[in-house]
Amino acid sequence: MSVHEQAAAAVLSQLFLAADGALLGLGLAYVAVRSILKFTANSSALRKIEQAPSIHVSDLRSVLTLPSANANNANEQSNCEKLVIVRGTVEAKSAVDGHCRSGVLASQESGDKGVILQRSQTCIRNEWRGFFGWTSNLRSLFVSSWKEQESSTVRMVPFILVDGGRLPQSAYVIVNMEGSRHPLPLTTVYRHLQPVNASPYTFLQALFGHEYPVGLLDEEKLLPLGKEITAVGICSLKDGTLVMKSCEDLPFFLSDMTKDQMLVDLDFKNKVLFCSGIVLGSLAVGILGYVVVRNWNRWKEWRQRRQAQQQSPSPNNDVNYQGPVDDEIGDVPDGELCVICLMRRRRSAFVPCGHLVCCQSCASSVKRGLSPKCPVCRQAIRDLMRIYD
């Protein structure tokens, strides 16, 4: 670690430990609350996925059919929605319209076909600390020096899920991607890293410790035809057609994992979030409690000193006070002068350090301060002792 990083780390540690660690306690409390909120949301999602039936595409109509006698009404059937888990194979919707494998997306580089195509270009940047000081980017203290700036475009066509690659007219469900922000189980079909030629401007950026580009990463990902995935969402009947849409309360929509794998993943995350919330919350409560008690005791001590000062005025405020004759008059050697006023003889020793460096008046003034400390060793002062010779 360089000298600049050590100085920055020292400043950050002083900042977090300011006010006896109050800022650190508040930060831990914020993280603990976030962990508990995420644990609550994950627990709700875990219960919903655990209770959701895992069925085949061909059995969806029987699950969504209303059991009541009035289920023949088309409006009631169209309003029937249920959270289900379906494992099926990806197929283009155009296949059920009689256009065999038309209306699909194809990768320009690999030629693979799919229903969702994502093209991204990532500018990979490096950061060097240079000769003229450390980097101006404070994030380099916490994250890697490699920075990425990505721009991507996503295209998709309507697609369906079918059972085991079979495509009968009555056994498919349309996947509705509108409003879904869930991660997609895409497959990388093309990746190419192109180095960036250095220029004089790049040399200046590196010399002064700024970010500079080192390469461009081009990628193409798609959801290929024939891939087996799991859909977790709300299934409904619309005009006699099965439609699956995402549920915002769940962390999954389309995934490579099965239902059992999803439950194991959510259960592990819940345990981590719960333990981290409890541990960080306990630390935050302990730190904040220590801060409150310590500052309360300081305030009481300050209040007691103020009351004592008001009840018994100091010799400096007493107009009739006359100090010892040998303190005010006569020649006092330089080695025996008070280090504060440089006028009177040293008469008071500080307890517990024992330094005899102040006269009676200046020592009393120091002791009446909010946080009295010895002017020599900076140790806290508990009392004064008058020295006679």
Side-chain angles (χ1 to χ4, degrees):
M1 183 179 291
S2 64
V3 177
H4 299 289
E5 291 178 343
Q6 293 178 359
V11 171
L12 291 176
S13 63
Q14 292 292 334
L15 179 63
F16 280 114
L17 296 178
D20 298 323
L23 185 61
L24 178 61
L26 292 176
L28 292 176
Y30 174 76
V31 177
V33 171
R34 290 291 301 272
S35 299
I36 295 299
L37 292 178
K38 289 183 179 180
F39 167 76
T40 304
N42 275 11
S43 299
S44 176
L46 178 63
R47 289 192 299 268
K48 289 182 179 180
I49 293 178
E50 189 174 8
Q51 296 173 1
S54 180
I55 56 180
H56 298 285
V57 178
S58 57
D59 299 330
L60 282 175
R61 291 184 179 274
S62 60
V63 173
L64 295 179
T65 302
L66 293 176
S68 62
N70 299 326
N72 295 326
N73 191 340
N75 294 330
E76 293 183 2
Q77 289 186 358
S78 62
N79 294 331
C80 181
E81 296 182 348
K82 191 170 184 179
L83 178 65
V84 295
I85 301 176
V86 179
R87 185 81 175 176
T89 305
V90 177
E91 187 66 43
K93 185 178 181 298
S94 58
V96 301
D97 299 332
H99 306 287
C100 184
R101 292 194 181 271
S102 62
V104 296
L105 302 174
S107 172
Q108 294 181 355
E109 304 296 339
S110 64
D112 296 340
K113 295 182 178 181
V115 293
I116 299 178
L117 177 62
Q118 178 181 354
R119 296 174 182 171
S120 62
Q121 186 178 68
T122 304
C123 179
I124 302 178
R125 296 176 176 268
N126 193 17
E127 188 175 40
W128 187 54
R129 303 192 182 280
F131 292 114
F132 299 100
W134 67 312
T135 173
S136 59
N137 192 353
L138 294 178
R139 293 180 301 174
S140 61
L141 296 174
F142 308 100
V143 298
S144 174
S145 61
W146 287 86
K147 306 293 188 300
E148 294 186 357
Q149 294 181 355
E150 181 178 350
S151 61
S152 62
T153 58
V154 179
R155 294 174 55 198
M156 61 182 65
V157 296
F159 65 98
I160 59 176
L161 295 181
V162 297
D163 274 334
R166 301 187 305 271
L167 191 58
Q169 291 289 338
S170 59
Y172 68 88
V173 56
I174 300 176
V175 180
N176 184 5
M177 297 293 297
E178 294 180 1
S180 174
R181 297 184 179 179
H182 297 79
L184 298 173
L186 302 180
T187 303
T188 302
V189 295
Y190 175 77
R191 176 177 293 175
H192 176 68
L193 179 61
Q194 179 181 359
V196 176
N197 295 327
S199 64
Y201 179 68
T202 304
F203 174 75
L204 291 177
Q205 286 180 310
L207 187 65
F208 287 95
H210 295 287
E211 297 178 356
Y212 58 95
V214 295
L216 291 176
L217 179 62
D218 293 325
E219 286 184 315
E220 282 192 353
K221 299 180 180 181
L222 56 80
L223 184 61
L225 298 175
K227 182 176 182 178
E228 188 176 4
I229 61 175
T230 302
V232 184
I234 306 297
C235 188
S236 61
L237 278 170
K238 291 186 178 180
D239 299 329
T241 304
L242 293 171
V243 179
M244 175 80 71
K245 63 180 181 180
S246 63
C247 181
E248 296 181 357
D249 298 336
L250 300 180
F252 305 106
F253 179 36
L254 302 179
S255 175
D256 292 324
M257 296 186 294
T258 62
K259 177 181 178 180
D260 294 335
Q261 292 173 339
M262 292 179 186
L263 294 177
V264 171
D265 182 71
L266 287 177
D267 184 64
F268 175 75
K269 289 181 179 178
N270 279 352
K271 291 179 180 179
V272 173
L273 290 172
F274 179 77
C275 294
S276 62
I278 294 298
V279 172
L280 295 178
S282 301
L283 290 175
V285 171
I287 293 175
L288 293 177
Y290 167 77
V291 171
V292 171
V293 172
R294 183 172 177 83
N295 285 276
W296 173 258
N297 292 333
R298 286 180 176 177
W299 180 81
K300 288 197 302 183
E301 293 178 359
W302 175 81
R303 186 177 179 181
Q304 291 176 357
R305 287 196 299 269
R306 291 283 295 179
Q307 291 177 352
Q309 179 182 357
Q310 293 175 359
Q311 293 176 359
S312 57
S314 62
N316 286 342
N317 297 331
D318 190 357
V319 295
N320 297 323
Y321 172 76
Q322 299 292 335
V325 176
D326 60 341
D327 284 351
E328 301 294 341
I329 60 176
D331 295 332
V332 180
D334 293 340
E336 298 181 9
L337 285 175
C338 173
V339 297
I340 296 180
C341 66
L342 298 177
M343 294 175 56
R344 293 180 288 272
R345 192 183 301 272
R346 303 177 184 181
R347 288 298 187 187
S348 294
F350 297 114
V351 179
C353 64
H355 285 121
L356 179 62
V357 292
C358 294
C359 63
Q360 182 70 17
S361 176
C362 293
S364 300
S365 299
V366 172
K367 185 177 181 298
R368 288 194 301 271
L370 183 60
S371 180
K373 294 181 180 180
C374 174
V376 176
C377 63
R378 308 305 298 170
Q379 185 176 353
I381 298 172
R382 292 203 304 264
D383 202 356
L384 299 177
M385 180 178 292
R386 176 66 184 268
I387 305 299
Y388 297 93
D389 54 6

